[in-house]
Amino acid sequence: MTTKDKVVLAYSGGLDTSVCVKWLQTEMNLDVIAICGNVGQDEQDLEAIKKKALSLGAIDSEAVDLRDEYANHYLTKTIAANGLYENTYPLLSALSRPLLAQKMVDVAHKFGAKYIAHGCTGKGNDQVRFENSIKALDPSIDILAPVRSWNLLTREDEMAYAMANGVPVAATVESPYSIDDNLWGRAIECGVLEDLNNEPPSDVWTLTVDPEDAPDEAEYVELGFEAGTPVSLNGQNLSLLELIIELNKIAGKHGYGRLDMVENRLVGVKSRECYEVPAGSAIILAHKALETVTLDRETMHAKLDLEHLWSQCVYYGQWYSPLKNALDAFMADTQKFVTGTVRIKFYKGNCTVVGRQSPYSLYDFDLATYGEGDTFDRSYSEGFMYINGLQNTTWARIQGPSAHQN
Ligand code: ARG
């Protein structure tokens, strides 16, 4: 009896990846090991998902709780870098894929699997993130992308294949949107959102209430940071996972963290996306505020440029890359003194920073004040103006607007 080659599949329990389980067995003649990673997505009955994979003929199935690892090794890095692609999107899908890929590579090694498979389409960014990550972690593993390569082009083709192959098709009406979610937030695309002129219907949002229905009372929250990482909420020390879960509830209740944007995908397509990132948006806002008082000007300015590069690098699927490693080293070094407390205020869809305190604050009240006790010595300013303006003076004299006036 010849043994079959094995494939480790990233399995979500949905129709696409369920059809993948069958397709990999019947079309590719492989033994399937289905992995369901919990990165804090909604809905998950992981045991049920595991059983479903086994009932479809997978030889093994594992449900792995990756939430702490996600928070402590992935979200900490995006917080340090204030990760926002195109200055707006908090990268939630781009952050979870490298972790899922790493887990699949581990499982592939454990089972001696030759292949790893994912259920991404050929049109999005997530295929890139999975595949680049897998290649960086173990280039000897071959990657299969059934949804990209099979010829089940329409939803009807896929349903017909599912029925013919004993893949249960959910009785419930499918969401009209394509959704990806995890601890950091939720991405919603497709359906009526494809028309850029449509306001997102209310059924798009599940983590945040409509700001119009949010409480009339503002709510204050104190976030404590230690070397750039959030460590406490309202004075209570929490793991990052616990803190994000708690803050998601508070921010969501006040309708904060909604985004509606058109972004540039790596594959050259512009796409309209809605996101809900309640805790994540508040954490980045507070973290930036703490940096304004703990980072010196030049480091902060350099960091703003590198944050853009870091976010682009992660969005493009380069989590495991020399550039990303080097940028992480820079970010980590800048975080040494980003310790302190930021007070934020939620009110009807908004979050504002209303207080910042740090033992390492570079804000010097005596230098800043226009009141009593001002220690800023203005007598040096005249010489500084002369030297700082010297280039302008020289340019103006020789090339500037007044140089050629007769
Ligand atoms: N556009 C976002 C990104 O590329 C979200 C992707 C969501 N993925 C999904 N399968 N719906 O990161």
Side-chain angles (χ1 to χ4, degrees):
M1 192 185 101
T2 52
T3 52
K4 290 181 186 171
D5 282 326
K6 297 188 183 79
V7 59
V8 175
L9 169 71
Y11 185 62
S12 73
L15 181 65
D16 282 350
T17 53
S18 295
V19 171
C20 283
V21 176
K22 277 289 171 199
W23 192 88
L24 290 164
Q25 294 171 86
T26 53
E27 313 292 318
M28 301 294 295
N29 195 29
L30 296 170
D31 275 342
V32 179
I33 298 140
I35 299 302
C36 182
N38 178 2
V39 281
Q41 59 271 53
D42 199 17
E43 112 256 333
Q44 298 296 356
D45 178 352
L46 292 181
E47 284 310 305
I49 292 175
K50 205 170 122 173
K51 284 205 187 98
K52 184 169 177 186
L54 293 172
S55 75
L56 290 169
I59 60 157
D60 210 326
S61 181
E62 287 187 17
V64 269
D65 187 350
L66 302 171
R67 292 176 307 159
D68 272 308
E69 197 173 342
Y70 185 46
N72 298 337
H73 298 288
Y74 291 75
L75 298 183
T76 47
K77 291 201 170 71
T78 202
I79 295 167
N82 297 317
L84 297 173
Y85 178 63
E86 295 182 337
N87 223 4
T88 312
Y89 162 49
L91 293 168
L92 56 108
S93 303
L95 294 164
S96 71
R97 297 308 187 276
L99 170 57
L100 293 166
Q102 189 214 77
K103 205 37 69 182
M104 290 195 290
V105 170
D106 287 350
V107 174
H109 290 162
K110 191 171 115 188
F111 284 86
K114 185 166 180 230
Y115 301 98
I116 288 180
H118 62 74
C120 302
T121 72
K123 212 169 149 180
N125 296 313
D126 291 326
Q127 55 178 339
V128 187
R129 296 164 185 155
F130 267 128
E131 299 198 18
N132 284 353
S133 298
I134 294 162
K135 282 176 194 151
L137 295 168
D138 184 349
S140 75
I141 294 176
D142 287 330
I143 300 166
L144 298 172
V147 176
R148 195 172 62 200
S149 48
W150 68 32
N151 52 5
L152 308 173
L153 296 180
T154 65
R155 202 71 183 166
E156 288 70 38
D157 292 342
E158 199 180 343
M159 301 274 252
Y161 183 95
M163 313 266 220
N165 288 277
V167 177
V169 176
T172 49
V173 186
E174 275 218 35
S175 162
Y177 311 109
S178 164
I179 290 162
D180 183 46
D181 68 333
N182 62 60
L183 185 62
W184 205 229
R186 207 168 150 263
I188 311 105
E189 56 186 320
C190 303
V192 295
L193 299 174
E194 286 174 358
D195 182 335
L196 302 187
N197 234 8
N198 287 338
E199 180 176 354
S202 56
D203 67 350
V204 158
W205 315 107
T206 64
L207 302 177
T208 53
V209 306
D210 189 325
E212 287 162 39
D213 301 329
D216 293 329
E217 288 285 303
E219 182 167 353
Y220 291 84
V221 170
E222 270 200 2
L223 279 184
F225 288 84
E226 194 76 50
T229 298
V231 292
S232 69
L233 195 153
N234 291 332
Q236 191 191 0
N237 286 336
L238 296 172
S239 72
L240 185 55
L241 172 61
E242 293 165 332
L243 187 146
I244 293 170
I245 291 173
E246 196 52 36
L247 190 57
N248 266 334
K249 287 186 210 146
I250 301 172
K253 182 172 86 186
H254 290 278
Y256 176 69
R258 293 184 175 186
L259 294 165
D260 175 1
M261 69 184 284
V262 175
E263 75 191 33
N264 289 291
R265 282 193 195 162
L266 182 53
V267 295
V269 176
K270 282 190 189 292
S271 74
R272 202 272 186 92
E273 306 269 355
C274 289
Y275 298 107
E276 292 182 284
V277 191
S281 304
I283 288 172
I284 290 179
L285 181 79
H287 179 256
K288 281 184 173 178
L290 192 57
E291 288 188 327
T292 63
V293 298
T294 53
L295 297 186
D296 66 283
R297 183 184 65 204
E298 300 310 316
T299 303
M300 192 173 133
H301 289 184
K303 186 169 184 285
L304 284 170
D305 286 343
L306 295 178
E307 285 173 356
H308 169 71
L309 195 58
W310 189 96
S311 303
Q312 188 173 291
C313 189
V314 171
Y315 187 89
Y316 288 178
Q318 300 291 336
W319 184 271
Y320 305 107
S321 70
L323 174 59
K324 158 76 171 33
N325 287 345
L327 292 172
D328 277 337
F330 172 85
M331 299 300 168
D333 199 70
T334 62
Q335 297 303 295
K336 285 188 292 207
F337 299 107
V338 185
T339 292
T341 307
V342 181
R343 200 162 75 253
I344 52 181
K345 176 182 177 178
F346 292 103
Y347 182 64
K348 292 213 179 276
N350 288 304
C351 178
T352 41
V353 172
V354 293
R356 17 3 219 149
Q357 281 181 306
S358 168
Y360 306 112
S361 173
L362 300 174
Y363 177 83
D364 184 323
F365 182 89
D366 294 339
L367 280 176
T369 185
Y370 284 90
E372 279 297 303
D374 181 1
T375 57
F376 185 90
D377 187 344
R378 290 162 168 77
S379 69
Y380 292 108
S381 291
E382 202 176 317
F384 176 68
M385 293 310 122
Y386 172 76
I387 291 176
N388 193 254
L390 204 48
Q391 285 200 90
N392 302 52
T393 312
T394 309
W395 173 80
R397 192 161 44 80
I398 296 162
Q399 300 177 355
S402 58
H404 305 293
Q405 283 168 13
N406 297 319

